[in-house]
Amino acid sequence: MTEATHANLLADSVRRMLVGAARWSDVVEHGYAGFFSIEHSDSLADLLIVMTEMGRRASMLPVLEAAIANRYAPGLAGAASRLGLAIGTFGLHEHASSLVFARERVQGTARFVEGAAEADEWLVLTDDCFLCVVRRDAEGVTVQPRPALAAGFADLHFSSLARARSLTPAQVTELLTIVRLGRAARAYGAALAGFEAALAYSKQRKQFGKAIGSFQAIQHKMANSHMALEGCRLQLTAAANALDGGAANWRALAASATAFASGHLRKVALETQHCFGAIGFAEEHLAPELFRRVHTDVVRLDGVRARAELGECLLAADGASIDCLLDRSDDAVGPFRKRFREWLAKHWSKQESDASRARPECERPWDLFFAKRLGEAGWTGLNWPKAAGGLEATPLEQLAYAEELIKAGATDYPLICSCRIMAPEIIAHGSPLLKQNMLPGLRAGTVTACLGYSEPDAGSDLASLRTRAVRDGDAYLISGQKIWITDGHRASYMLLAARTHPDPELKHAGISLFVVPMSMPGISVHEMQAMSGQKFCSIFFDNVRVPVEWRLGEENAGWSILATALANERIAMGGLAVRVQVLLKSMVQAVQQRPQLLRDSLTHDRIGQLAAELVTSRLLVAQTLEFGSSGAAPLEQAAMAKVFASELAQTMCETALDLLGSEALLSKGAKDVPADGEIELLLRTTIMFVVGGGSNEIQRNIIAQRGLGLGR
Ligand SMILES: Cc1cc2nc3c(=O)[nH]c(=O)nc-3n(C[C@H](O)[C@H](O)[C@H](O)COP(=O)(O)OP(=O)(O)OC[C@H]3O[C@@H](n4cnc5c(N)ncnc54)[C@H](O)[C@@H]3O)c2cc1C
């Protein structure tokens, strides 16, 4: 059974149990009170699935509490006891006075304990690291209810006999981590249920004569919430798997999941309420209960502390800790990564790496010698089918390839458009003549290309492009203008989209794709300087004669080929997450050299938050690639990965400006420049990532319309 099938079955069975007014006895009967007990599964991943389902119903049945008792104090509480959990001073907001265990008694006060009205026994974590069980009716327990946003809060005063188990500091850390992740999963479930209900509502509630879900303001709110929820889900799964598998980075991943959830779920709950309008404000609606659950759990995640912990962890160590948080070198692509890394070590010298790093990276270094070396070793066919002599690397292997290049300070820019984007389309749709002409050079790494899609009046609305290709015997005559073409001044070929049907109303159905040598008579190139330092070009076509054999696919059938090429372009953008990772590493190093900043808790908080966002970005990219490797077009996933990474890159630069001030404005080469000048450079470049490859607004439209099924 696959992991996903198991998760779905488990979630289904919990959902069935929770139909109607589920009681604690139902939970016990179904075995969900037995997590981490000897006879039960001890997977945290499973516990989080159950907690998510609890959250969906805003249920406070104490599955988490039972799991904690089973794992850390087996046999101390009754097997069917309904437990309330007091974590005393270990909870950031939950303490008043200290809780201690001495002479068989718990002494002290625990504040803001949930489930007070129903608990049979209290599970109390004392400051001196004892996990105690106190009977509800024990002498010396006073329960003082505290009316709050969600029902069932109480302060507990103890001077009572207890059974106790002593825990090691490592066990306490692990216990608290599981509590936080459990609460995060429940908050996630509640936020998800609210979101799903709001999504359904936005499809049927009509205003101004149409469903409110067709308004872009609502669609973009939904897209943002969906991204945040996906980020939470992926992070919780990664953290649970890391803890279950005993991975070295489980603490950092758990802090990251907690920090991410606490930063995003409340916003999702608020946006959900906004989408419902007044109807969601009525207490008889399900939204208020979910809203209360999300806010109550999130506040008790100690997200602030998780961010600080993550920040401290990164700032205390060298940059390797960031790689350790994000790297997947031990994953399924390990052997591939190792092979490419070893090849790079032999074929990309330290001097070349230093020289390359000294150049502004976003000027897109055009290293044709290195491109040839890649060709000689066959890396040019990275994503080509084996039948065409390619490596047929999986999308995750392609990402590993891009990551290793960036880490080594090398680039394969001259080959991205030609080998990664154009070549697979030539292999799939090219005529025999075109293949014969193009493939040897592409394989050798000597062919470069640019992408000719955008026009002055066709940016986001690409299908309204007007460049014409008119059939003239065995050739087409191409006339028109392309604009903002990256590398148009130095690429040897262009992958060009032109209108082949005379009726402009046909839009998508009238477009064909061509491979056009840039040396053809009738092409003139006008260079423009981009803010990032790179050149992009306006390119004019005046009756450029291109043989029919250089068309890709059937006439007027170019749009679907273009869609694949665009998806490949967004996959290539996955490398952006790695650049952000490199920048975070440099920022951490810069902060480490500034003692005043290093002492400031704000610095820890901001670095921790960025790291948590970066983990999500990396997971979204991986999800896109995994989805893509199943053969489906990962449109919605690619859109999420692109939006998230590009906006994170912006936030990263803005944060660097906040923390490092004017120094962060210094350019590469300036004396004492932090992060090697990458901050101001990436700040300029990020605009391109947000606007290019389909702007983020368009990507949000895709997420909402294709991913969430909201109508236009
Ligand atoms: C550095 C750089 C390099 C580039 N390289 C290339 C290249 O090599 N080849 C190539 O073909 N193109 C290239 N482009 C062009 C790029 O693809 C376009 O910029 C992009 O598609 C957006 O089009 P536009 O700039 O015309 O913006 P517009 O489409 O005019 O959009 C302007 C604003 O309106 C918003 N908007 C537009 N329509 C909608 C809508 N329906 N809903 C909501 N908001 C909307 C956009 O999101 C954006 O915020 C490059 C761009 C840049 C900045």
Side-chain angles (χ1 to χ4, degrees), residues 216 220 417 450-462 482-488 494-495 530-532 534-537 566 569 685 687-699 701:
Q216 200 171 62
H220 286 195
C417 295
C450 58
L451 306 174
Y453 311 147
S454 304
E455 298 184 4
D457 291 324
S460 301
D461 183 15
L462 192 55
K482 294 289 168 185
I483 194 167
W484 306 307
I485 307 305
T486 305
D487 298 327
M494 174 184 276
L495 181 63
M531 189 163 123
S532 57
Q534 72 178 72
K535 295 257 182 343
F536 57 174
C537 308
L566 281 168
E569 191 179 340
T685 314
I687 313 286
M688 171 176 83
F689 293 125
V690 171
V691 173
S695 74
N696 283 8
E697 284 75 20
I698 300 296
Q699 300 310 305
N701 292 351

Side-chain angles (χ1 to χ4, degrees), residues 130-204:
F130 284 93
L131 188 60
C132 311
V133 175
V134 183
R135 281 204 344 265
R136 180 187 181 84
D137 54 5
E139 221 174 276
V141 181
T142 320
V143 180
Q144 185 187 354
R146 303 291 306 266
L149 182 70
F153 260 35
D155 287 354
L156 306 180
H157 307 280
F158 294 106
S159 177
S160 338
L161 277 176
R163 283 152 286 152
R165 180 75 40 102
S166 159
L167 302 185
T168 63
Q171 283 177 311
V172 171
T173 303
E174 193 194 78
L175 179 157
L176 292 169
T177 303
I178 293 176
V179 169
R180 285 178 188 158
L181 289 174
R183 288 176 177 172
R186 190 167 54 195
Y188 160 71
L192 181 66
F195 166 79
E196 286 171 350
L199 182 63
Y201 181 69
S202 71
K203 289 177 184 173
Q204 48 99 9

